[in-house]
Amino acid sequence: MLSTTTFTIYSKISELPKNWDDVAIANAFLQTPYLKVLETSAPTNMQCFYIGIFENSELIGVALAQYLNLNQLESFGERDKCLKTAVRNFVFKNFASHVLFLGNNMITGQNGYTFNKEIDFEHISRVLVECAEAIIGYFKKNRINIHLVSFKDFYPYCADALKRFDFKNIYEFNTQPNMIFRLSDDWKTKDDYVAAFSKKYRDQYKRARKKCDRVLTKELSLEEITANEERIYELYHHVAKNAPFNTFFLAKNHFSTFKKQLNEQFVLVGYFMEEKLVGFHTLLLNGTVLETYFLGYDSEIQKEKMLYLNMLYNMTEFGIEKGYKKIIFGRTALEIKSSVGAEPVRMSGFIYHRNGLINQYIGKIFTNLEPEAQWQQRHPFK
């Protein structure tokens, strides 16, 4: 590390340096309004740490770390009821229940750190590893033994650079790719987007739109989100617990807290049938990038109305009409996301177990517990 570089780990937003947001300007997920969402409505099994990186006494970088206690989780995911799931759950409970993430485990993308000046990867890798060790030490004092440490979500060029330095002996893993949609500069309206489809996908678009024509969509205000909070959570929770794997569940007040803190930067769109909320999707406006966030739906209506596909179209059209450069659709549902135009981008994480014996086999264990997703990429454009 440069002899003049130090870091400070904070556990409260009120302790952060005054110019934190000036340094975090490039990423909304590291600015204080979003961090306040985490502080006041993070999942119940999560504790967040905010890291300031200094050169001499000047703040030059910020980072996020999250501790997860998987013992407090109601369910790891209920979709796959089989022996492998039972084994996986046993392993997690007994050997991996205390997990430290350097980065943000709630979203997909490289959102773990940012600097306001050029910093080489040797120093980045060093500071991330040292921060992890400092937080492990903090938990040790509190009689909590961290099992697993994971550095989350790096684009290929960063992962390759980090591996040349302090990450070289840490196991690199790639799970599902991040589905990213780079929007064409030629598309000014939704009609331009639809016109770019090949016939098969234009027909899919028309069919989906027709199915959903009786569903009313509406962007909800803070008051409307608060009034519908129970129902929003019910729809979110239904989707979350049927996911293949979970490490957290959101707090019930998460969406209203998000709207309160980020105001117009956070968009929640409700889907209504006969005045009943049957689904919702959320977006975070992050500079020129549109970030998709959590969603929820009634599974019967989703099937009947092709609700999920319509949500993807709606998010895309919002992005085009508001002039965004790209949409981060995240992991999961890879095939259907590719059918609207998103393309896979490989993301790497790094992980190690603090038990040396287990760590020797971390690659084997990881690939058995997290099999590669089999899917077919769609190419919807002419």
Side-chain angles (χ1 to χ4, degrees), residues 180-187 193 288 290 315-327 329 340-341 381:
I180 299 180
F181 194 174
R182 289 179 175 79
L183 301 174
S184 167
D185 293 336
D186 297 337
W187 300 338
Y193 165 61
T288 60
L290 191 58
M315 294 185 227
T316 300
E317 288 169 10
F318 179 93
I320 291 165
E321 283 164 6
K322 303 281 186 189
Y324 286 89
K325 297 281 182 215
K326 62 181 178 184
I327 304 174
F329 276 121
V340 305
F381 301 115

Side-chain angles (χ1 to χ4, degrees), residues 55-297:
E55 188 174 47
N56 297 320
S57 58
E58 182 200 347
L59 185 70
I60 58 163
V62 302
L64 175 68
Q66 295 172 334
Y67 159 69
L68 282 172
N69 181 352
L70 301 188
N71 288 322
Q72 292 175 5
L73 206 59
E74 58 179 275
S75 151
F76 286 115
E78 295 176 7
R79 195 190 67 183
D80 309 324
K81 293 195 189 300
C82 61
L83 180 63
K84 181 176 266 187
T85 306
V87 169
R88 182 181 68 185
N89 292 355
F90 174 81
V91 168
F92 271 95
K93 284 277 186 196
N94 292 282
F95 304 105
S97 57
H98 299 291
V99 187
L100 177 63
F101 287 95
L102 269 284
N104 192 333
N105 188 44
M106 295 170 69
I107 48 175
T108 305
Q110 196 166 303
N111 298 300
Y113 67 85
T114 189
F115 289 88
N116 66 355
K117 60 187 285 185
E118 205 60 46
I119 302 289
D120 63 65
F121 281 101
E122 182 176 5
H123 292 121
I124 292 172
S125 69
R126 184 89 46 86
V127 82
L128 292 176
V129 167
E130 286 181 1
C131 288
E133 284 166 3
I135 298 171
I136 289 164
Y138 162 84
F139 279 104
K140 210 172 190 174
K141 278 188 195 147
N142 290 286
R143 305 205 167 164
I144 292 170
N145 184 28
I146 298 288
H147 295 133
L148 277 172
V149 178
S150 179
F151 302 87
K152 188 173 179 289
D153 279 1
F154 299 96
Y155 290 113
Y157 75 96
C158 289
D160 293 343
L162 291 167
K163 280 188 297 197
R164 300 207 308 275
F165 303 106
D166 287 47
F167 282 42
K168 65 177 175 288
N169 296 319
I170 306 176
Y171 176 71
E172 181 186 6
F173 65 90
N174 313 104
T175 52
Q176 296 184 1
N178 189 0
M179 298 302 287
I180 299 180
F181 194 174
R182 289 179 175 79
L183 301 174
S184 167
D185 293 336
D186 297 337
W187 300 338
K188 305 298 178 207
T189 66
K190 67 178 180 186
D191 295 339
D192 298 334
Y193 165 61
V194 176
F197 281 136
S198 64
K199 184 180 183 311
K200 175 183 171 183
Y201 289 95
R202 202 158 49 248
D203 289 347
Q204 173 184 280
Y205 176 89
K206 286 176 187 164
R207 190 168 67 251
R209 288 320 209 185
K210 198 171 178 193
K211 288 248 187 195
C212 218
D213 63 358
R214 298 230 170 147
V215 178
L216 178 78
T217 61
K218 182 177 191 283
E219 188 178 325
L220 304 189
S221 66
L222 173 59
E223 293 67 34
E224 289 167 321
I225 293 170
T226 307
N228 287 283
E229 191 108 77
E230 285 288 323
R231 178 63 175 156
I232 289 169
Y233 189 80
E234 192 184 313
L235 295 167
Y236 150 75
H237 191 258
H238 168 75
V239 172
K241 82 172 197 294
N242 285 292
F245 186 56
N246 289 311
T247 52
F248 64 86
F249 287 97
L250 296 175
K252 287 201 170 155
N253 66 341
H254 187 76
F255 298 104
S256 60
T257 305
F258 214 132
K259 188 65 176 172
K260 216 172 281 170
Q261 291 293 346
L262 280 98
N263 199 1
E264 283 166 19
Q265 232 186 321
F266 178 70
V267 173
L268 189 148
V269 175
Y271 291 70
F272 294 86
M273 274 182 79
E274 290 158 11
E275 297 188 8
K276 187 184 182 189
L277 187 66
V278 294
F280 74 93
H281 76 251
T282 53
L283 298 164
L284 178 76
L285 319 183
N286 192 5
T288 60
V289 178
L290 191 58
E291 308 262 3
T292 65
Y293 198 60
F294 292 95
L295 54 75
Y297 49 70

Side-chain angles (χ1 to χ4, degrees), residues 4 7 39 138 242 330:
T4 52
F7 61 85
E39 185 173 68
Y138 162 84
N242 285 292

